[in-house]
Amino acid sequence: MELDFGPAVRDFRDELRDWLAEHLVGEFAEHRGVGGPTDGAAWEVRLAWDRELAAGNWLGVGWPQEYGGRGLGLLEEIVFEYEYARVNAPYRATGNALDLLGPMLLKMGSEAQRKRFLPPILSVEELWGQCFSEPGAGSDLASVRTRAERAGGGGTSFEDASVEGASRPTGVESGGGWVVNGQKVWTSFGVHADWLYVLTRTDPDSRRHKGLTMLLVPADQPGVEIRPIRNLAGQDEFAEVFLSDARTDADMVVGEVGQGWRTAMATLGIERGTTLLPQQLTFEREAEALIGLARERGALDDPMLRRRIVDAWISVRIMRTTNLRTIAELTAGRAPGPQATTAKLYASTRHQQLGHLAMELAGPAGQIVGEDYGLDTRQRSFLLSLAETIYGGSSEIQRNIIGEQLLGLPKEHRP
């Protein structure tokens, strides 16, 4: 797949291509394509690769220069994501903060929060975990029960932290601010997090979307316990987080107190943006590998299998067209159309079908793993794809959104 975004960004594209060709070598090249939004493989290599990107000033190309970014536009951001995916570079270990938290702070955070948190993200000094889902509030996120209450004292301010050499407030030593109690689950890469952004209920009498507040909470304190959750692929990139009188400062609120739902939806809206483009390129590579496997096994001679293989190839082309439509709308300054809402549901379900077909073509060999449960690329992709119809909004919830908001169907009954 080759895209030309025009002369306006051609110099930027060529600079990026040259840098990637020069730096994506050695151990980094050996780990092309490793990792994913729920894949913690080769963590240390990916972390080192992120620091290599940071040294070249390639993280946050669209973030303002005063926070360490390049200050470029949306088109350059899209070009970066496309070229990065095109060379199959390792999945960024700092993706959570780069793709979600950082844009959220740029859109809804205070100036003090931006000065405090954005530079350490771009320099790969601090890692973040997202604490949204709970055991009883996953797809139905509005049912959040984690509580945050105001503590005595006024907390500290970020203002001194913007001065070079000044200590950074942690939320623990200040003696004021907020006290947080509750449990979160499915926190991606939570075991590596230095900070957590936590959706809490600050109004005990509120229900569902009202009375929620987004808080930034330091992970390294007695009130925070992070336990890894091992998945089908034998990895522990997910974690559950227990908050027991965890402390954070008064000015660690992102947005407004009681308006956390709006802040959370802005974050998830970012997640639904252009991040599907590199994912789609990965799916295209998997579809090409599937066709190669089918040729090796003689599966193309079977008309029923041939039809399913063609269908898989068509599905990734549909993803490509959908993503290009969304990119065209974004670059034209328009809100993405209905296809942006349906893209996640389509991509996740079709990727699962692609994985099932690949394992079927692999036959008994696809069920054999290496030493210490060593999985090959095909096996790992298949197992991890099973969660794609759950995380980021389950397929059931996505269908409700499409039915109610796009098609105007009656809303689902709630007790």
Side-chain angles (χ1 to χ4, degrees):
M1 176 179 174
E2 183 69 28
L3 292 178
D4 189 343
F5 293 93
V9 293
R10 201 161 287 157
D11 289 344
F12 172 79
R13 182 203 64 185
D14 293 342
E15 178 192 1
L16 174 59
R17 285 184 175 181
D18 290 343
W19 189 92
L20 288 169
E22 181 180 349
H23 292 264
L24 188 56
V25 295
E27 189 176 32
F28 298 142
E30 293 171 5
H31 288 82
R32 286 181 186 267
V34 70
T38 61
D39 185 354
W43 177 262
E44 293 301 327
V45 174
R46 290 161 53 197
L47 202 57
W49 171 243
D50 278 18
R51 294 189 176 113
E52 188 82 2
L53 289 165
N57 198 22
W58 290 110
L59 296 183
V61 296
W63 294 15
Q65 292 180 337
E66 59 263 37
Y67 309 125
R70 287 200 175 202
L72 301 178
L74 175 63
L75 193 54
E76 284 85 358
E77 289 189 70
I78 293 172
V79 169
F80 174 82
E81 293 296 345
Y82 170 76
E83 293 295 332
Y84 191 90
R86 188 178 67 86
V87 298
N88 203 22
Y91 188 88
R92 296 188 292 277
T94 51
N96 197 321
L98 289 168
D99 298 337
L100 298 175
L101 175 74
M104 179 181 75
L105 291 178
L106 286 169
K107 183 176 182 179
M108 308 193 73
S110 68
E111 178 62 16
Q113 289 170 346
R114 289 192 285 265
K115 287 180 178 179
R116 163 61 185 87
F117 292 114
L118 296 182
I121 290 173
L122 295 184
S123 60
V124 199
E125 294 177 32
E126 292 178 344
L127 303 179
W128 286 80
Q130 183 193 73
C131 287
F132 282 13
S133 296
E134 299 180 4
S139 296
D140 186 16
L141 186 59
S143 298
V144 160
R145 291 185 294 177
T146 293
R147 295 275 297 274
E149 301 173 316
R150 293 187 184 275
T156 57
S157 170
F158 288 121
E159 297 302 326
D160 294 336
S162 63
V163 180
E164 187 174 355
S167 62
R168 293 170 174 167
T170 65
V172 180
E173 294 88 351
S174 66
W178 298 89
V179 178
V180 186
N181 286 278
Q183 180 185 355
K184 296 291 182 176
V185 74
W186 311 131
T187 301
S188 298
F189 311 124
V191 293
H192 305 289
D194 301 296
W195 285 82
L196 309 167
Y197 53 111
V198 187
L199 187 62
T200 67
R201 189 167 298 280
T202 47
D203 180 356
D205 298 323
S206 64
R207 295 190 62 188
R208 298 195 60 73
H209 309 86
K210 297 180 180 180
L212 301 175
T213 300
M214 185 73 69
L215 293 175
L216 309 179
V217 179
D220 186 14
Q221 59 170 302
V224 176
E225 180 184 0
I226 300 176
R227 301 178 186 172
I229 300 174
R230 191 165 296 276
N231 64 17
L232 284 172
Q235 301 169 352
D236 58 0
E237 76 283 352
F238 280 139
E240 54 184 345
V241 179
F242 295 87
L243 302 156
S244 305
D245 289 338
R247 302 293 294 259
T248 195
D249 285 335
D251 48 6
M252 294 287 190
V253 176
V254 182
E256 302 177 25
V257 174
Q259 298 298 318
W261 183 257
R262 183 171 61 182
T263 305
M265 290 303 100
T267 305
L268 296 178
I270 295 164
E271 192 176 23
R272 295 286 192 272
T274 59
T275 55
L276 286 178
L277 178 61
Q279 184 185 61
Q280 168 245 317
L281 285 173
T282 299
F283 295 171
E284 283 195 7
R285 277 189 285 267
E286 291 182 8
E288 291 168 1
L290 175 72
I291 294 173
L293 178 63
R295 288 196 176 103
E296 291 177 10
R297 299 299 174 88
L300 295 178
D301 297 332
D302 184 327
M304 297 301 293
L305 280 175
R306 186 169 64 245
R307 177 176 179 177
R308 292 169 61 192
I309 293 166
V310 170
D311 185 55
W313 183 86
I314 291 173
S315 70
V316 297
R317 304 298 287 187
I318 291 174
M319 292 180 207
R320 175 184 180 180
T321 301
T322 297
N323 288 333
L324 291 177
R325 287 175 59 194
T326 301
I327 288 172
E329 291 164 342
L330 289 170
T331 54
R334 300 193 302 270
Q339 83 283 346
T341 304
T342 61
K344 194 271 180 185
L345 174 65
Y346 184 82
S348 59
T349 54
R350 298 298 294 191
H351 189 219
Q352 286 183 355
Q353 293 171 12
L354 178 65
H356 277 282
L357 181 55
M359 295 301 293
E360 184 177 334
L361 290 177
Q367 302 177 38
I368 301 174
V369 300
E371 187 177 353
D372 296 328
Y373 196 61
L375 302 172
D376 60 28
T377 301
R378 185 182 298 113
Q379 292 168 328
R380 182 179 295 107
S381 177
F382 165 69
L383 291 174
L384 293 175
S385 74
L386 300 180
E388 291 175 12
T389 50
I390 301 174
Y391 67 72
S394 70
S395 293
E396 291 78 9
I397 294 297
Q398 296 304 308
R399 291 187 179 96
N400 279 353
I401 292 173
I402 293 169
E404 295 171 8
Q405 298 184 14
L406 294 184
L407 302 178
L409 299 177
K411 290 189 175 183
E412 182 184 32
H413 172 72
R414 292 185 179 276

